[in-house]
Amino acid sequence: MTEPATLPIGTPGQLLGRPSWPNGAPGQVRQRSYADDVLAAVGRLAARFDVIPYGELACGIDRFTLLARGPVPGDPGCRGVGDGGVHGYETSGVHGALRFLDQHAEAFAGRVNLLIAPCVSPWAYERIHRWNFDAGTLTARFAPPARRWRPRR
């Protein structure tokens, strides 16, 4: 029996620290395609949902258009927001968001106004990496430093 593939995401018992990679993460190699996996899937959903480009990321020579399924005119005021791909090696959120849109989102029409951003860190997604191009994580930007989650000791 072969050993399952593992990804190096840290050392047990030690907090994850930011990698130090000046000049945009040299040596980080694209291993999958955001365009093929995410943009193409969103494109297939565009006939059924409003698709909104909400930004563009410039990561060195790479450019990523960020897309979301947006608010639909006439939907109720009740809102739901979902995202995926905050950390690039966590693919379940990306593919889960796309699957939810494909298989379940239409059941919420008229009851909930959904905004789904399936991959918010495409550079990390392509490189199967936790950190983004600037060696940071998106979750670290959600709260001031004093409010960030810390593991219990």
Side-chain angles (χ1 to χ4, degrees), residues 13 17-18 24 55 82 84 107 134 137 149 151-152:
R18 282 176 75 160
D134 297 321
T137 65
W149 176 83
R152 292 183 185 176

Side-chain angles (χ1 to χ4, degrees), residues 1 8 112 138:
M1 183 164 92
V112 178
L138 296 179

Side-chain angles (χ1 to χ4, degrees), residues 5-17:
T6 59
L7 297 174
I9 59 170
T11 303
Q14 294 182 9
L15 293 176
L16 284 174

Side-chain angles (χ1 to χ4, degrees), residues 31-46:
Q31 298 180 54
R32 58 182 163 211
S33 171
Y34 171 74
D36 292 346
D37 297 352
V38 179
L39 296 182
V42 170
R44 289 189 294 274
L45 295 169

